[in-house]
Amino acid sequence: MRTLKSRQTGASLMMTLYLVGTAALIVMCVVKIGPHYYNDRLVGSALEGITDDPGFEDFSKAEVKLKLQKSFQLNSIYHVGTKDIKVKRDSDKLVVDIDYIIIVPVIANVEVKLNFKNHLEHP
């Protein structure tokens, strides 16, 4: 009578290919999408940093946009244009909204649409 071998075997070829493919897809998405989230953090810090300028309370709408664009250019952020920056000045506060959309191609005709919104109210 033959005895059955009771030894462990590893993952099958199909399971290994599935795991490698899934890991590659996750890494690819992180590499393509991750830098845009980092750039959004830079946009937010530039928006917060504009209040540190001396005489910020007296800036006009155009000066606020110009200061933000200079900060974006310094940080190599080219996907935020002046049309994405909305500045509202009331008698008692300044409101700045930066809303922009980035479309990132992932694979073939699959794209990811990223919506970013940054808001600043300064009394």
Side-chain angles (χ1 to χ4, degrees), residues 39-49 72 118:
N39 285 341
D40 183 56
R41 301 235 351 182
L42 292 176
V43 168
S45 67
L47 187 58
E48 292 291 328
F72 295 160
N118 292 290

Side-chain angles (χ1 to χ4, degrees), residues 79-80 84 99-104 112-116:
H79 54 271
V80 180
D84 300 323
D99 299 335
Y100 58 99
I101 297 171
I102 300 174
I103 298 175
V104 180
V112 175
K113 180 179 174 184
L114 305 171
N115 293 321
F116 294 105

Side-chain angles (χ1 to χ4, degrees), residues 1-17:
M1 186 163 145
R2 288 172 91 183
T3 60
L4 297 173
K5 294 182 180 179
S6 62
R7 61 182 180 147
Q8 289 183 337
T9 59
S12 67
L13 178 64
M14 293 305 287
M15 187 61 171
T16 304
L17 288 175

Side-chain angles (χ1 to χ4, degrees), residues 41-60:
R41 301 235 351 182
L42 292 176
V43 168
S45 67
L47 187 58
E48 292 291 328
I50 197 171
T51 59
D52 296 337
D53 286 347
F56 169 72
E57 289 80 18
D58 300 328
F59 283 178
S60 68

